[in-house]
């Protein structure tokens, strides 16, 4: 997969892209990630990318021109087709299913807004999709892009060492993950559930399934509802 990120703060990304699993995914050749400074695509000699909103109002709007030029320049470089994604609080809410869908794409181009947002013509005539990471406002699309990139990259086959770690995670099959414990078997006054140290794998697997169901019912009953809706549709 190839990922291109367009932002006025491209340096923000190194903290996430140059560490841990995403760094290793790039080293293994599973994903190529490029950041682009939106200011390199302005026609303005002061590299200005924003202007006041028509009709008045507070704040500045990222102009359409540099964003179109940036995306068009990136598209010219890539052979395959890339999906253009605008990070936007008014977009479709991001979740694990959405991440899985994006992980199958050959290429993704992310546009990070800032200030009061982005000229509407980017949304209307350039973006293929708009993603929101939740019902709250960030100052810019950079953190949102990092959230999406992180959750998508870890789903690319071969990025995580153990395939099973993907199958049993929260939100897979509309369930939350069962409780996890590690050594020591007794910490302070709290022993781990006996079944986990019993060595009986059948019992452990049953316990985990039950705990996952219990926990999902208590914390996220909406997920269980989705699960049964899906079954009915099948
Ligand atoms: C302060 S926000 C603009 C909000 C806009 N004035 C509004 O009321 O809808 C600036 C930029 O941050 C990004 N952003 C903010 N909140 C976001 C969210 N929940 N999900 C995705 N992107 C977000 C978007 O790129 C947006 O263009």
């Amino acid at each position: 997969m190839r990922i291109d990120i367009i932002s006025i703060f491209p340096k923000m990304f190194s903290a996430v892209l140059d560490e841990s699993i995403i760094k290793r995914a790039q080293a293994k050749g599973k994903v190529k990630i490029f950041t682009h400074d939106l200011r390199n695509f302005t026609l303005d000699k002061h590299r200005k990318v924003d202007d006041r909103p028509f009709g008045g109002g507070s704040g500045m709007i990222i102009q359409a021109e540099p964003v179109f030029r940036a995306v068009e320049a990136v598209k010219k470089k890539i052979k395959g087709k890339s999906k253009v994604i605008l990070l936007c609080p008014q977009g479709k809410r991001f979740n694990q299913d959405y991440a899985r869908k994006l992980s199958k794409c050959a290429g993704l181009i992310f546009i990070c807004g800032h200030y009061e947002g982005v000229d509407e013509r980017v949304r209307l005539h350039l973006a293929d999709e708009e993603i929101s990471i939740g019902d709250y406002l960030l100052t810019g699309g950079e953190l949102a892009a990092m959230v999406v990139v992180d959750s998508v990259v870890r789903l690319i086959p071969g990025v995580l060492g153990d395939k099973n770690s993907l199958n049993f995670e929260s939100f897979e099959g509309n369930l939350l993950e069962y409780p996890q414990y590690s050594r020591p078997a007794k910490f302070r006054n709290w022993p781990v559930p006996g079944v986990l140290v019993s060595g009986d794998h059948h019992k452990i697997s049953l316990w985990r399934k039950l705990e996952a169901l219990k926990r999902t019912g208590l914390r996220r009953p909406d997920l269980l509802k989705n699960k049964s809706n899906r079954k009915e549709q099948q």
Side-chain angles (χ1 to χ4, degrees):
M1 177 187 283
R2 174 177 168 129
I3 295 178
D4 291 272
I5 305 168
I6 298 164
S7 157
I8 50 173
F9 295 111
K11 282 190 201 148
M12 278 177 74
F13 289 89
S14 58
V16 168
L17 303 183
D18 300 344
E19 297 289 344
S20 183
I21 288 168
I22 301 203
K23 181 182 178 184
R24 288 208 299 275
Q26 292 175 91
K28 281 201 252 176
K30 299 287 174 195
V31 61
K32 284 191 173 147
I33 309 181
F34 302 91
T35 54
H36 308 273
D37 187 342
L38 183 64
R39 294 190 193 283
N40 292 341
F41 299 92
T42 57
L43 296 171
D44 177 87
K45 67 173 182 199
H46 303 293
R47 293 162 48 89
K48 200 164 97 69
V49 293
D50 56 331
D51 209 330
R52 284 166 296 144
F54 276 122
S58 62
M60 301 294 270
I61 305 295
I62 299 269
Q63 293 166 287
E65 177 87 52
V67 181
F68 271 78
R69 282 168 53 85
V71 170
E72 282 157 8
V74 168
K75 277 191 165 175
K76 229 184 234 172
K77 269 194 213 153
I78 3 185
K79 290 178 208 118
K81 191 168 161 27
S82 269
K83 201 186 269 294
V84 179
I85 293 171
L86 174 67
L87 281 316
C88 171
Q90 301 170 18
K92 185 166 177 227
R93 183 89 63 84
F94 193 61
N95 63 17
Q96 190 69 10
D97 280 346
Y98 206 156
R100 206 172 302 111
K101 191 185 98 183
L102 294 183
S103 73
K104 293 179 181 128
C105 294
L108 301 171
I109 301 174
F110 291 96
I111 303 168
C112 304
H114 228 89
Y115 313 122
E116 275 307 308
V118 181
D119 187 302
E120 186 70 10
R121 286 162 289 193
V122 169
R123 183 202 308 270
L124 292 174
H125 307 298
L126 187 63
D128 296 312
E129 291 180 23
E130 297 164 47
I131 292 182
S132 162
I133 62 159
D135 290 349
Y136 44 83
L137 280 187
L138 302 163
T139 52
E142 287 73 17
L143 287 171
M146 288 185 224
V147 166
V148 176
V149 167
D150 186 282
S151 61
V152 167
V153 168
R154 67 195 294 289
L155 292 175
I156 298 172
V159 166
L160 292 185
D162 181 4
K163 246 168 77 186
N164 283 337
S165 64
L166 283 178
N167 294 338
F168 300 113
E169 280 187 316
S170 291
F171 307 114
E172 295 301 331
N174 278 300
L175 285 177
L176 298 180
E177 194 185 52
Y178 46 80
Q180 295 271 32
Y181 295 85
S182 183
R183 280 166 191 77
K186 188 171 180 186
F187 170 66
R188 300 202 172 157
N189 231 359
W190 304 301
V192 307
V195 62
L196 295 180
V197 287
S198 68
D200 184 333
H201 292 289
H202 180 65
K203 270 193 191 156
I204 293 173
S205 157
L206 267 179
W207 180 86
R208 286 180 165 166
K209 273 184 199 148
L210 268 174
E211 288 297 318
L213 273 168
K214 247 196 317 196
R215 173 162 280 223
T216 312
L218 280 172
R219 298 181 185 200
R220 293 292 305 274
D222 56 305
L223 292 178
L224 288 181
K225 222 186 234 167
N226 286 347
K227 197 176 169 65
S228 58
N229 284 350
R230 269 195 196 176
K231 268 202 183 137
E232 273 167 28
Q233 280 163 16
Q234 279 166 8

